[in-house]
Amino acid sequence: QVQLVESGGGLVQPGGSLRLSCEASGRIVSINTMGWYRQAPGKQRESVAAITRGGTTNYGDSVKGRFTISRDNAKNTVYLRMNSLKPEDTAVYYCNAEIKGVGVLTHDYWGQGTQVTVSS
């Protein structure tokens, strides 16, 4: 069974930084695109950033220049470095990964979510 486990959320002041991590574990054959989504109260889930296995990245317009996504393929882990955080970045952040598991077709997996709160 494949699972994604996130860590690194918390409370930070405006202008501060956080780094989120998400590790995939289980009977994994390969991992394609990995990414981060977020959902604020009363809003739809939105894409924050994504990275392919080869390292190509893309970002949501609201986080470009402030957030950096990276991954360590050897550790099946994706990271999100968040700088210059704003109150509007407050949300639950979810990790997502397209994974081929042993004996199963490739599909998307989701982490349980980690809360990020930006407030003074």
Side-chain angles (χ1 to χ4, degrees):
Q1 184 165 345
V2 174
Q3 63 176 351
L4 300 178
V5 178
E6 298 130 337
S7 61
L11 173 64
V12 63
Q13 292 186 341
S17 299
L18 281 176
R19 190 179 83 152
L20 306 182
S21 300
C22 172
E23 180 180 4
S25 63
R27 303 179 71 198
I28 296 171
V29 174
S30 62
I31 303 176
N32 299 325
T33 300
M34 304 182 82
W36 292 93
Y37 288 71
R38 67 186 182 186
Q39 187 166 20
K43 295 187 176 181
Q44 290 188 333
R45 189 173 295 189
E46 64 172 347
S47 176
V48 176
I51 183 168
T52 67
R53 183 171 181 82
T56 300
T57 59
N58 65 73
Y59 297 90
D61 288 341
S62 62
V63 306
K64 285 180 181 177
R66 300 188 297 121
F67 291 10
T68 302
I69 189 170
S70 60
R71 65 190 282 175
D72 185 332
N73 290 332
K75 295 181 179 180
N76 291 338
T77 299
V78 63
Y79 306 95
L80 184 69
R81 177 68 179 181
M82 305 183 291
N83 295 328
S84 302
L85 282 161
K86 304 175 182 180
E88 51 263 43
D89 294 317
T90 295
V92 178
Y93 284 69
Y94 297 91
C95 175
N96 170 271
E98 186 183 55
I99 298 175
K100 173 72 174 72
V102 175
V104 298
L105 298 174
T106 299
H107 67 272
D108 280 349
Y109 290 84
W110 291 88
Q112 79 285 359
T114 185
Q115 176 70 46
V116 171
T117 302
V118 184
S119 175
S120 54

